[in-house]
């Protein structure tokens, strides 16, 4: 069945963005995602809506498909700092999803995802505006998570590169 979606007004974007934040806080990421798509239907490069969409998609991490969908949004986000920072968010949330999912290889898999996040946060730190310590705070969170959880460790039998697949553009995508 196909429905023609109804467009929102440009004047309604600020209130729609407030609803996105509210739905994310209420752990309703699919509702937040839908609202972001409504905003992007009328302003395709709206950076705040793109960032919120990426975050709503990372809130839903439980499969490789969701990682790919978040990375598709990342490609539309402007700015070197923002690109590195939000790629770090993708890796960090993937690592957390793997920790919560459990399983035999979840510790090493989470470790490599968190290290990928830390690498991106280090790139973001170099590009951050003066006084913006967000990337440092996220890097420290990843480091503490690894240090406080002995199950999160590298797999000595697996090379780090083996934990990743590459997409068509050559970017690393975590195996699911």
């Amino acid at each position: 069945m196909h429905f023609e979606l109804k467009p929102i007004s440009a004047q309604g974007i600020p209130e729609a963005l407030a609803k996105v934040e509210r739905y994310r806080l209420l752990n309703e990421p699919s509702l937040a995602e839908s609202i972001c798509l409504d905003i992007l239907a009328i302003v395709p490069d709206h950076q705040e809506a793109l960032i919120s969409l990426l975050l709503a998609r990372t809130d839903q991490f439980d499969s490789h498909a969701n990682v790919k969908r978040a990375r598709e949004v990342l490609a539309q986000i402007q700015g070197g700092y923002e690109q590195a920072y939000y790629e770090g968010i993708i890796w960090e949330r993937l690592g957390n999803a793997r920790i919560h999912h459990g399983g035999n290889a979840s510790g090493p898999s989470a470790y490599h995802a968190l290290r990928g996040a830390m690498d991106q946060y280090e790139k973001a730190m170099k590009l951050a505006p003066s006084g913006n310590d967000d990337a440092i705070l996220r890097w420290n969170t990843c480091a503490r998570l690894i240090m406080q959880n002995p199950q999160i460790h590298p797999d000595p039998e697996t090379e780090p590169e083996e934990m990743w697949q590459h997409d068509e553009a050559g970017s690393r995508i975590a195996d699911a």
Side-chain angles (χ1 to χ4, degrees):
M1 187 171 289
H2 179 74
F3 295 99
E4 187 171 328
L5 299 174
K6 300 181 183 318
I8 65 171
S9 67
Q11 297 83 3
I13 290 176
E15 181 61 29
L17 287 168
K19 288 181 187 331
V20 167
E21 184 66 22
R22 202 164 324 140
Y23 283 129
R24 286 195 60 238
L25 291 172
L26 292 170
N27 198 26
E28 296 284 355
S30 62
L31 295 175
E33 180 178 0
S34 179
I35 294 169
C36 289
L37 293 172
D38 288 333
I39 295 167
L40 294 167
I42 59 170
V43 183
D45 64 344
H46 194 287
Q47 291 299 294
E48 189 176 350
L50 285 166
I51 289 168
S52 293
L53 177 60
L54 182 144
L55 294 172
R57 287 183 174 174
T58 63
D59 291 339
Q60 301 174 68
F61 274 1
D62 61 3
S63 73
H64 180 68
N66 286 334
V67 173
K68 184 176 180 181
R69 291 177 55 227
R71 289 187 56 78
E72 289 168 355
V73 177
L74 178 65
Q76 299 173 63
I77 293 176
Q78 299 170 359
Y81 167 80
E82 291 80 2
Q83 282 273 323
Y85 181 79
Y86 288 105
E87 185 164 355
I89 293 285
I90 292 171
W91 290 122
E92 181 181 352
R93 292 189 175 181
L94 176 62
N96 284 316
R98 292 199 170 154
I99 293 166
H100 296 296
H101 182 262
N104 290 343
S106 65
S109 179
Y111 173 84
H112 290 292
L114 291 169
R115 288 296 297 140
M118 292 167 78
D119 289 346
Q120 291 303 313
Y121 293 143
E122 286 179 1
K123 288 180 188 175
M125 285 178 220
K126 294 174 185 170
L127 301 169
S130 179
N132 181 338
D133 293 333
D134 290 350
I136 294 170
L137 297 170
R138 302 300 309 204
W139 191 97
N140 288 345
T141 297
C142 292
R144 285 186 182 102
L145 188 59
I146 292 169
M147 291 185 297
Q148 294 170 355
N149 293 283
Q151 76 274 16
I152 304 172
H153 57 82
D155 183 349
E157 296 180 20
T158 304
E159 291 296 319
E161 191 60 30
E162 292 178 30
M163 299 295 291
W164 314 99
Q165 296 177 18
H166 293 273
D167 66 11
E168 300 79 37
S171 297
R172 294 187 321 174
I173 300 176
D175 290 331

